[in-house]
Amino acid sequence: MADYKITLLKGDGIGPEIVDQAVKVLNKAADKFGFGVTYDEALLGGCAIDATGVPLPEETVAKCKASDSVILGAVGGPKWDDQPGNNRPEAGLLGIRGALGLFANLRPSVIFGPLKSASPIKDEIIGDNMDIMIVRELTGGIYFGERGKSEDAAWDTEKYSVAEIERIARVAFDMAMKRNKKLTSVDKANVLESSRLWRKTVIEVSKEYPEVELNHMYVDNCAMQLVRNPKQFDVIVTSNIFGDILSDEASMIAGSIGMLASASLSGGKLGLYEPIHGSAPDIAGLGIANPLATILSVAMMLRYSLGQPQAADAIEAAVSEVLKTNRTPDIYEDGMNKVSCSQMGDLVCEAL
Ligand code: NAD
Ligand code: IPM
Ligand code: MN
């Protein structure tokens, strides 16, 4: 029987409550599909600063590297907002992405049927099966470029190498080949030199994928097109910062940021799986956070890292079933049962 070693980085704010629900569901899936899971916890973010003085202790990197995959809640919060630049919780998150070489971040924006009416976008605009895959470059660009400050100025630099663009482009083209063979590369090539290299390189890589229909879009237009006509998109590939922003926007089409899962991949089996949202300090500890983004991240882990696609499908089907009648407050609609974070976890387990 396969036995997977999973490192849990619960993090800050709502992190621990949502990860606990994801663990419940993973355990249930393990029982049902006949595999084992052993867990180890490690510190990342504000909780790590409190315990050790730094957001990413060495021990955390070692534990993650020694595991089959990592589940992350979220990091950050007002308590640590005045920490000096590189000692913030968020720097720990960038650090672990860098240390594990997680250059490809998959952020699927999928509308679950029962949630269509919870989306602020009109039904006819969403269509019947909106399903966009945002492929975000995760270890380059302005997040990792040279930065600095003087007394009266501060700067961050957006820099991409051909090799970095090629490898993320290949992930996106491969993804498009498995889907509807349509790829939109999003950049700001009308202004930025780094974007002009991005576009030129994506065009070069496209020659390896003659079946994929490629188009290019400026990021400002893309932000608008996502709400005007989301159905036009299949796979979107973009830089670190544009992907960060566009994926939060895409999450609202799917009803709530509490629904959007993600996978951060390195090309090997090890991946880091986390919701795209943050630590939601405004609702932390109230027991009302939506755990579904984290639960759906577990489904992605089963699919992309652990080779258990049936378990992944079953979790997604269970989520869809539960959403017919049960909602956390962020996706609540009249006539539904209003449930807490842990009740939602229990309901998904029952549906499984
Ligand atoms: P956020 O995503 O934490 O919250 C934005 C809004 O969405 C809040 O009103 C919050 O209550 C709501 N929300 C988020 N997740 C939810 C869920 N699961 N269920 C219900 N409502 C949910 O973004 P923010 O407020 O800009 O950031 C808060 C902190 O989180 C910051 O310190 C930020 O740096 C950090 N952050 C961390 C990650 C991460 O760890 N991956 C991602 C984004 C932000
Ligand atoms: C995300 C978050 C992070 C990012 C922050 C917390 C560093 O917003 O995962 O989307 O910008 O990548
Ligand atoms: Mn973000």
Side-chain angles (χ1 to χ4, degrees):
M1 186 174 85
D3 188 30
Y4 304 113
K5 267 177 76 177
I6 304 298
T7 299
L8 303 176
L9 305 173
K10 293 187 175 183
D12 310 316
I14 61 170
E17 29 185 318
I18 54 177
V19 170
D20 286 347
Q21 307 319 308
V23 167
K24 271 187 204 167
V25 173
L26 182 55
N27 286 336
K28 185 79 189 177
D31 282 350
K32 188 175 155 71
F33 289 91
F35 57 86
V37 188
T38 45
Y39 300 96
D40 197 0
E41 284 190 34
L43 296 170
L44 180 78
C47 59
I49 296 175
D50 290 348
T52 70
V54 294
L56 177 59
E58 291 282 333
E59 191 192 9
T60 297
V61 178
K63 282 185 176 181
C64 290
K65 281 187 174 163
S67 57
D68 290 303
S69 266
V70 182
I71 300 174
L72 166 67
V75 300
K79 182 178 176 191
W80 305 280
D81 277 349
D82 296 326
Q83 289 282 122
N86 274 335
N87 213 41
R88 288 182 62 109
E90 293 83 353
L93 180 54
L94 300 194
I96 193 72
R97 288 172 180 168
L100 301 179
L102 305 169
F103 70 90
N105 186 215
L106 309 182
R107 297 189 158 190
S109 179
V110 178
I111 187 112
F112 282 82
L115 267 191
K116 264 177 87 173
S117 41
S119 169
I121 310 289
K122 288 185 192 126
D123 256 26
E124 62 265 30
I125 291 179
I126 297 172
D128 287 330
N129 43 10
M130 193 207 65
D131 179 353
I132 302 172
M133 178 65 87
I134 298 181
V135 179
R136 170 190 178 194
E137 200 292 324
L138 201 61
T139 51
I142 198 163
Y143 278 61
F144 287 83
E146 191 190 313
R147 67 188 74 211
K149 60 180 178 187
S150 64
E151 217 158 273
D152 57 357
W155 57 94
D156 303 271
T157 41
E158 174 85 351
K159 180 177 176 184
Y160 270 111
S161 70
V162 170
E164 284 174 317
I165 303 166
E166 281 174 349
R167 69 180 178 177
I168 194 69
R170 288 203 176 93
V171 170
F173 278 107
D174 286 339
M175 183 61 66
M177 282 300 289
K178 291 189 206 129
R179 294 169 47 106
N180 295 318
K181 300 189 176 163
K182 199 168 168 238
L183 177 63
T184 304
S185 174
V186 175
D187 61 34
K188 188 73 187 174
N190 50 347
V191 176
L192 303 177
E193 204 59 68
S194 53
S195 276
R196 286 191 276 272
L197 182 69
W198 180 281
R199 190 174 285 215
K200 182 170 165 250
T201 308
V202 170
I203 291 171
E204 275 305 308
V205 174
S206 74
K207 294 174 186 160
E208 298 164 27
Y209 299 87
E211 284 177 59
V212 176
E213 183 196 326
L214 170 69
N215 72 315
H216 304 273
M217 202 177 269
Y218 298 136
V219 63
D220 46 353
N221 183 24
C222 182
M224 182 276 279
Q225 295 292 341
L226 271 172
V227 285
R228 190 188 74 93
N229 178 19
K231 280 179 289 191
Q232 72 185 286
F233 297 106
D234 178 18
V235 181
I236 291 175
V237 64
T238 193
S239 64
N240 205 340
I241 192 162
F242 295 162
D244 179 43
I245 298 165
L246 293 177
S247 58
D248 265 37
E249 187 189 358
S251 76
M252 265 327 280
I253 308 170
S256 164
I257 192 157
M259 292 299 303
L260 232 81
S262 89
S264 304
L265 306 172
S266 64
K269 279 270 175 224
L270 171 68
L272 182 147
Y273 295 84
E274 55 168 324
I276 77 153
H277 62 71
S279 58
D282 53 337
I283 58 166
L286 301 181
I288 58 169
N290 185 347
L292 292 177
T294 319
I295 290 170
L296 292 167
S297 300
V298 165
M300 293 187 84
M301 177 176 85
L302 289 161
R303 182 171 293 124
Y304 292 107
S305 283
L306 306 185
Q308 298 282 351
Q310 285 166 324
D313 291 346
I315 290 174
E316 286 164 358
V319 166
S320 202
E321 188 55 38
V322 167
L323 283 172
K324 286 181 185 159
T325 45
N326 303 283
R327 304 293 174 81
T328 44
D330 58 311
I331 45 175
Y332 182 74
E333 292 174 282
D334 284 346
M336 298 280 160
N337 302 320
K338 196 179 266 183
V339 301
S340 69
C341 180
S342 76
Q343 283 170 327
M344 187 57 106
D346 292 338
L347 286 163
V348 175
C349 287
E350 276 167 38
L352 251 186

